[in-house]
Amino acid sequence: MLLEIKDIDVRYGRNHAVKTISLNIEQGEIVTVLGANGAGKSSLLKAVQGMVRLSGGNIIFDGEDISRWSAPKRVQNGISLVPEGRQIFVSMSVEDNLLMGAYSRKEGDISAEIEAVFERFPNLKERRHMSAAVLSGGEQQMLAVGRAMLARPKIMMLDEPSLGLSPLLVKQLFELIKELNDNGLSILLVEQNTHMALQYADRGYVLELGDIVASGTPDKLLADEKLTEAYLGGG
Amino acid sequence: MLLAQQIINGLMLGSVYVMVAVAFTLTIGMLNFLNFTIPALFMVAAMITWAATAAGFHWLVGASLGMVVAIIASLIIERFTYRYMKAKYGDATEHALPLVSSLGFLIIFEHVVIMIWGTDPMSFNSPFANAQFVIAGLIFAIPQLISLALSVALVFALSLLLKKTQLGRALRSIAEKPDTATLMGVDVGRIVPVVFMMTGFLCALAGILFTINYKNVSPYIGDHVATNAIAGMVIGGLGNIWGAIAGGLIIGMVEVLSIHFWGAEIIKVPVWGLMLLILVFRPTGLFGHTRIGKGKF
Ligand SMILES: Nc1ncnc2c1ncn2[C@@H]1O[C@H](COP(=O)(O)OP(=O)(O)OP(=O)(O)O)[C@@H](O)[C@H]1O
Ligand SMILES: [Mg+2]
């Protein structure tokens, strides 16, 4: 088991955002977490990254209990989050954003990997020295993914990466996720675009008001009529 | 000729303002925090330089000691203003409290110094009193030239550091989006003190050079210099270190020329009048400002 989330709770004051939930991800899997607004999806990812404190439960990563590790330490050890809303550094150049992605890495030369990201995203390459503020939404999402790749994670978590992208870009993004996964990267994907997510995922969980209300293979989730009506955007 | 000499003097004085303005602008640009202890750091380094020299030590001993004390003091201030508020309320940058607590530190520092050495201005016996040369009838004091060169060199070095190094990128990432910086693996709690160490260093250097150049110290010199530096920073553009050079030098010249034309009583009026005027016509200062962005996810 690569990542084991055991009975975790996240609270913001009196607001109980994640209610004692457990989920796990095997090495090499794409696991998706679905749910409506406010279901606690982002809180779950932030808890795994160490950006919010757990008020209960444990997170085991690669056999170690990381529940008390700081976020930077988790990044160093192979957990990367592509946050909701991309969170590109708009005061920096495209290239500096990628260099920030590699911040946690100790070993020397990353220029080859940066070039590899640029080969993959020619639009970014053209604008490498420009301010990241000039990028389109799609380009920013690619930059956010490229930035996370440069941390060389073992697991990449993506928080609603398809939000605001055109159907064509959404398709490209999922193909990219699939390709990264084929190269051995495990993926924890939070999405509201349920059909695309379930098409690419190995397994899924459905979150409702902080609780897991369903889980299983995409086929199983899609076969459940009540579920598709309530959470998965109709038949 | 006299006017040319005054312009030179103004630039030299301005170079001290530049260093202090850079210190202000760094904490504002990085942490959105107007650090009111800056005058105290300046003054403490100046007073220690004077006191050690007056006690018979080499001026370098005093200057080094002043530098060390200012940097340590700045780290303590970080611990009890910025970091305390951040730990307690999540995001110090959204509260006026760090500003108020830094003001508290300023007053305490000044009064501790007053308790030790009193309020009278003291004269510093400069080892470089006669180190100067004359070109075409214009006097150039060597220590003043050194402070001018140093202030420009420091801003240059700082801008390289911010642009080209890993530390610089980390600092800029914290300035824009502290949460995302953490997400990249930046240990914000360890990097922020670096800003405060730079603040202590810049203020102490300015204080030491001011003492050597103007041969006078008092517990209140920090207030005068730092308020002028704030005006210079605003004129140059908040958060912009290159703006701090221009702003600091402009303020130095306005001050010296105002004394030349109108006398010493009035100097605050042209300095602050100019700042307000520039704010009306160019609210972002002469050089605009780097983004003081803060994004959350
Ligand atoms: N910093 C915070 N302080 C207080 N409450 C918060 C905070 N962040 C999230 N919440 C609350 O926690 C609950 C879960 O929020 P979360 O952002 O995890 O949901 P989400 O599933 O990601 O929603 P969305 O699809 O809109 O992004 C919501 O009720 C939200 O209001
Ligand atoms: Mg969310």
Side-chain angles (χ1 to χ4, degrees), chain A residues 36-43 46 84 159-160 190 192:
Chain A
N37 294 108
K41 306 179 299 293
S42 298
S43 302
K46 288 182 196 175
E84 195 172 351
D159 197 344
E160 302 197 27
V190 158
Q192 299 219 36

Side-chain angles (χ1 to χ4, degrees), chain B residues 27 31-38 41 72-109 192-193 195-196 199:
Chain B
T27 17
L31 311 172
N32 201 13
F33 170 33
L34 182 56
N35 183 352
F36 266 126
T37 46
I38 282 175
L41 300 173
I72 292 173
S74 189
L75 286 173
I76 293 173
I77 288 155
E78 190 268 341
R79 181 68 187 76
F80 287 101
T81 58
Y82 186 77
R83 193 189 309 193
Y84 175 73
M85 296 303 161
K86 175 142 180 80
K88 208 136 171 92
Y89 300 105
D91 185 0
T93 60
E94 277 167 15
H95 295 269
L97 288 177
L99 183 145
V100 177
S101 43
S102 75
L103 192 58
F105 268 103
L106 169 65
I107 293 167
I108 289 172
F109 271 117
V192 165
V195 178
F196 283 79
T199 303

Side-chain angles (χ1 to χ4, degrees), chain A residues 4-29:
Chain A
E4 206 178 341
I5 298 164
K6 289 203 291 200
D7 300 327
I8 64 163
D9 285 274
V10 174
R11 290 172 195 271
Y12 304 99
R14 272 184 319 228
N15 191 346
H16 201 170
V18 173
K19 297 170 182 155
T20 326
I21 65 172
S22 299
L23 55 147
N24 51 55
I25 294 148
E26 302 277 359
Q27 168 63 43
E29 264 190 320

Side-chain angles (χ1 to χ4, degrees), chain B residues 121-137:
Chain B
M122 304 292 179
S123 64
F124 176 73
N125 202 350
S126 171
F128 308 108
N130 299 314
Q132 60 182 43
F133 57 84
V134 180
I135 294 177

Side-chain angles (χ1 to χ4, degrees), chain A residues 46 49 51 71-72 75 81 83-84 87-92 96 99-101 103-104 147, chain B residues 163 166 169-170 172-173 176-177 179-187 191 291 295-297:
Chain A
K46 288 182 196 175
Q49 187 68 56
M51 302 295 292
V75 181
L81 170 62
E84 195 172 351
Q87 307 301 337
I88 291 304
F89 294 112
V90 290
S91 64
M92 295 189 192
D96 280 353
L99 287 168
M100 279 310 296
Y103 183 87
S104 61
R147 188 175 69 175
Chain B
K163 273 221 178 67
Q166 177 95 329
R169 276 190 296 274
R172 283 188 290 143
S173 72
E176 189 189 323
K177 295 186 173 82
D179 283 342
T180 310
T182 309
L183 214 51
M184 301 294 109
V186 177
D187 189 342
I191 300 277
R291 291 180 62 95
K296 302 277 176 283
F297 64 86

